[in-house]
Amino acid sequence: MNNVYLYDGSFSSLLALIEEIEELKLNVTNIKSTKEYSYNLLDETINLKIDNKKERIEQLKNKITNNILSTMYYVYLSCDNNKEMIIYNFYKLGKKYQNKVYNYRYIDSVNDSINISKYVSHEAHKLKGFLRFKETKNKFLYAKYKSNNNILGILANHFKKRLSSEYFIIYDEGRGNYALYNKKKVIYLTEKDIIKLNLNFNSEEMFFEDLWKTFFETIAIKERENKRAQISFMPKRYWENILEMEDKL
């Protein structure tokens, strides 16, 4: 029977789980997100309770270089079905060899990590150049795209710098995720959050107009900032998927 360690799908939870596994010297055959794992009778699923999550993450980060952590993050953003175990094995080698690990491409987890991270980076770079924004009547910009990898955070951070004086929405059609920027920060929403807002899907532009109006009036204005509404529209479990939101946890 295979032992499958489950986590909530966020990058920070994956890091904490990996460090907990290492600290406890556990035998690991598989790691899966609860969002993607399909239960079967041949697996024994394990949910580790990690009380000192932030401490575990810091311990992990202190044992590797920023380059290794960045490669792990890009693999995490990928569509690879085995990405968690690739990250886990790459981390163990990175902890041992530090940046010299990149010289050991004959090791599967190293070669896979390098190739996958390059694939994610290449797709993000391509969309940075090809993404096209439309301007609405309310003078904000919106763009939509489809991608193999989960690169919304990379794109939003890029255009936050490029379009710092603009309001914009970027929509990942394939995953149903949204990034909204209000000249100060990016907020991420999912389709489940959108359903809660009861917005009209009939007209694409009307939908984005309504989405922006709701975002701007309910979330983005500092004087009307409502922490409970923010958490309702974008549950904290999604914040951990975005590195820019880690300081708000």
Side-chain angles (χ1 to χ4, degrees), residues 128 154-166 168 181 186 244:
K128 287 175 187 177
I154 297 176
L155 295 177
N157 194 47
H158 170 76
F159 287 105
K160 175 183 175 182
K161 297 173 183 176
R162 287 282 305 274
L163 304 173
S164 59
S165 61
E166 303 286 347
F168 68 72
Y181 176 64
V186 179
E244 293 89 341

Side-chain angles (χ1 to χ4, degrees), residues 68-125:
I68 293 170
L69 182 63
S70 178
T71 298
M72 291 166 61
Y73 180 61
Y74 271 62
V75 175
Y76 162 77
L77 296 177
S78 77
C79 56
D80 194 286
N81 290 328
N82 196 38
K83 62 186 179 182
E84 287 88 357
M85 286 305 294
I86 293 172
I87 291 170
Y88 173 59
N89 291 322
F90 180 68
Y91 165 68
K92 290 193 295 182
L93 291 168
K95 184 172 60 172
K96 181 177 180 180
Y97 298 112
Q98 298 301 311
N99 280 340
K100 290 181 181 179
V101 71
Y102 292 99
N103 297 326
Y104 304 137
R105 295 198 61 158
Y106 58 87
I107 302 175
D108 287 343
S109 60
V110 175
N111 190 55
D112 290 344
S113 294
I114 293 172
N115 289 339
I116 293 170
S117 63
K118 284 184 177 179
Y119 171 50
V120 173
S121 179
H122 176 73
E123 185 174 43
H125 179 73

Side-chain angles (χ1 to χ4, degrees), residues 37-93:
Y37 175 69
S38 298
Y39 289 87
N40 65 76
L41 298 176
L42 299 178
D43 293 338
E44 178 183 356
T45 56
I46 303 170
N47 285 281
L48 285 181
K49 184 179 179 181
I50 306 174
D51 296 322
N52 50 348
K53 182 176 177 181
K54 288 186 177 180
E55 181 182 330
R56 283 285 182 253
I57 294 171
E58 287 305 311
Q59 287 173 343
L60 181 145
K61 289 181 178 180
N62 289 334
K63 293 176 182 178
I64 55 176
T65 66
N66 288 335
N67 286 339
I68 293 170
L69 182 63
S70 178
T71 298
M72 291 166 61
Y73 180 61
Y74 271 62
V75 175
Y76 162 77
L77 296 177
S78 77
C79 56
D80 194 286
N81 290 328
N82 196 38
K83 62 186 179 182
E84 287 88 357
M85 286 305 294
I86 293 172
I87 291 170
Y88 173 59
N89 291 322
F90 180 68
Y91 165 68
K92 290 193 295 182
L93 291 168

Side-chain angles (χ1 to χ4, degrees), residues 190-227:
T190 70
E191 280 190 342
K192 289 182 179 179
D193 304 321
I194 298 302
I195 292 172
K196 293 180 183 179
L197 300 178
N198 295 317
L199 299 181
N200 181 12
F201 279 90
N202 293 334
S203 164
E204 181 180 59
E205 183 157 333
M206 183 181 296
F207 166 71
F208 280 106
E209 292 274 359
D210 289 347
L211 175 59
W212 183 259
K213 182 179 178 181
T214 303
F215 164 67
F216 189 82
E217 293 185 353
T218 309
I219 301 175
I221 300 177
K222 184 176 181 181
E223 289 74 15
R224 299 180 63 181
E225 187 171 295
N226 185 326
K227 294 295 184 182

